[in-house]
């Protein structure tokens, strides 16, 4: 078997954990498998490097940021190879350039285009464990790029796809995907399996287990991902196309605390208004999620939408700068809100799922500010102070507890 294993920063945060990972990989290797290991930077290294850069230059060039940030992963693979060597097993570390992992040019948010598998194959055939830097790539100028925060998951899936690996295991500090974040809902249950689509919705909605680009890639190439803990041997969660266990109506509840809401009051009730607003925001690369437009009254209407809190200031600036053209009376920003979602492919064929969620929230006396649905999810916007209570109430209503 060819196994790709990816370990996150907390799994390699210190020498003891590095040896722990080395031993787990060696177990698979000794069982006769080919093993490729993708690593993230140790602990908080990437954050520390970013902080360091800001001390030197508050506005560093993106190219140099990638040059800097990519060093974290290189430290991890080199140390891992030394650990394996100390344990008497042959291994080799490779960075993105050596592999070669080709990406688009966009520094800081490059996308993988193609991975040469030759060098990795050659080293595997030589019976070495191959250690590859996550997160980095090389663009057409032969410059180092990075894939965006959390990008090592994506590296692992891309390598698994390129090598037609038999398994792709992603190890983190949680031991799988839960029906809700166990810090929010203590009796949340670990899922055995989840579909790509559900996982994508949960990842985008802030479940925070896997990078969503990695899930998109896995779906595209049909790579089954196993999410497991590096600290224990429990089974983990399989992310795949179709799950075979009896479908629950709802697979999970996600809470996104990083969402804020902007409302534009008194826009003109005319064609093209929504286009103008969202085109301006799209051009600034601001991702909008839930949108609500009121029914026009007299000559005016209102539009509210949610966006990530780190882009609110940019959005407000852009909208105010275009106030004349957009012709609105007032702009409101609401920061104390959270997005609560239920996700599940089971709801596609079952009416009444949304009603059940609303009933649970009504019984808990929680007010809904906005509602938005898709085929496999229902999202509501609620006050931040109600977040925990709401998540628990909904989780209970769907019987998701352990
Ligand atoms: N080290 C990078 C980060 O912290 C990539 C990763 O860990 O996946 O974002
Ligand atoms: Mg991560």
């Amino acid at each position: 078997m060819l196994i790709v294993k990816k370990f996150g920063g907390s799994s390699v945060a210190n020498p003891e954990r590095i040896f722990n990972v080395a031993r787990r990989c060696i177990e698979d290797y000794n069982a006769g498998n080919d093993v490729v290991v993708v690593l993230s930077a140790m602990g908080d290294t990437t954050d520390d490097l970013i902080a360091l850069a800001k001390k030197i230059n508050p506005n560093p060039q993106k190219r140099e940021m990638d040059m800097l940030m990519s060093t974290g992963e290189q430290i991890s693979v080199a140390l891992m190879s030394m650990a394996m060597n100390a344990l008497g097993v042959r291994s080799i570390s490779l960075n993105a350039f050596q592999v070669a992992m080709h990406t688009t040019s966009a520094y800081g948010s490059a996308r993988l285009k193609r991975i040469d598998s030759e060098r990795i194959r050659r080293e595997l055939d030589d019976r070495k464990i191959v250690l590859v830097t996550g997160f980095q790539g090389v663009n057409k100028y032969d410059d180092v790029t990075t894939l965006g925060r959390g990008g090592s998951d994506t590296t692992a899936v891309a390598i698994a796809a390129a090598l037609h690996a038999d398994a792709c295991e992603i190890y983190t500090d949680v031991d799988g995907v839960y029906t809700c974040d166990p810090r929010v809902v203590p009796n949340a249950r670990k899922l055995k399996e989840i579909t790509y689509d559900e996982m994508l919705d949960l990842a985008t909605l802030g479940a925070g287990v896997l990078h969503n680009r990695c899930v998109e890639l896995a779906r595209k190439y049909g790579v089954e991902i196993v999410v497991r803990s590096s600290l224990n041997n429990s089974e983990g969660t399989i992310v795949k196309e179709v799950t075979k266990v009896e479908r629950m109506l709802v697979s999970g509840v996600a809470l996104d605390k990083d969402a804020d809401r902007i409302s534009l009051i008194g826009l003109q009730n005319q064609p093209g208004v929504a286009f103008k607003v969202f085109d301006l925001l799209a051009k600034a690369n601001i991702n909008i999620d839930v949108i609500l437009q009121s029914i026009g009254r007299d000559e005016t209407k209102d539009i509210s939408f949610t966006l990530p809190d780190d882009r609110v200031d940019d959005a407000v600036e852009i909208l105010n700068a275009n106030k004349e053209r957009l012709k609105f009376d007032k702009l409101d920003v609401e920061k104390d809100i959270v997005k609560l979602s239920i996700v599940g492919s089971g709801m596609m064929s079952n009416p009444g799922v949304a009603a059940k969620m609303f009933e649970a929230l009504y019984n808990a006396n929680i007010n809904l500010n906005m509602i938005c649905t898709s085929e496999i999810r229902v999202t509501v916007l609620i006050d931040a102070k109600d977040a925990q209570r709401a998540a628990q109430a909904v989780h209970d209503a769907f019987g998701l507890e352990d």
Side-chain angles (χ1 to χ4, degrees), residues 7 22 33 46 55 75 86 99 119 138 164 182 294 305 372 374 394:
F7 294 87
N33 300 297
T46 311
K55 278 191 196 154
I75 294 174
V99 167
R119 176 76 189 264
V138 183
H164 305 287
S294 69
F305 54 88
C372 149
S374 80
V394 172

Side-chain angles (χ1 to χ4, degrees), residues 300-367:
T300 66
K301 62 185 173 191
D302 310 330
I303 292 181
S304 298
F305 54 88
T306 66
L307 71 175
D309 51 9
D310 58 354
R311 298 307 309 273
V312 169
D313 293 346
D314 295 340
V316 169
E317 198 184 313
I318 291 166
L319 293 169
N320 276 329
N322 288 277
K323 191 168 179 183
E324 297 286 281
R325 194 159 80 86
L326 299 172
K327 300 195 180 66
F328 55 87
D329 291 336
K330 203 164 138 249
L331 184 158
D332 265 351
V333 178
E334 177 58 76
K335 292 194 183 256
D336 289 328
I337 50 135
V338 295
K339 263 187 333 194
L340 177 76
S341 306
I342 52 173
V343 175
S345 353
M347 68 177 79
M348 242 185 304
S349 45
N350 285 284
V353 174
K356 189 165 176 173
M357 178 188 195
F358 303 153
E359 182 186 19
L361 292 168
Y362 164 65
N363 287 336
N365 199 18
I366 288 162
N367 191 43

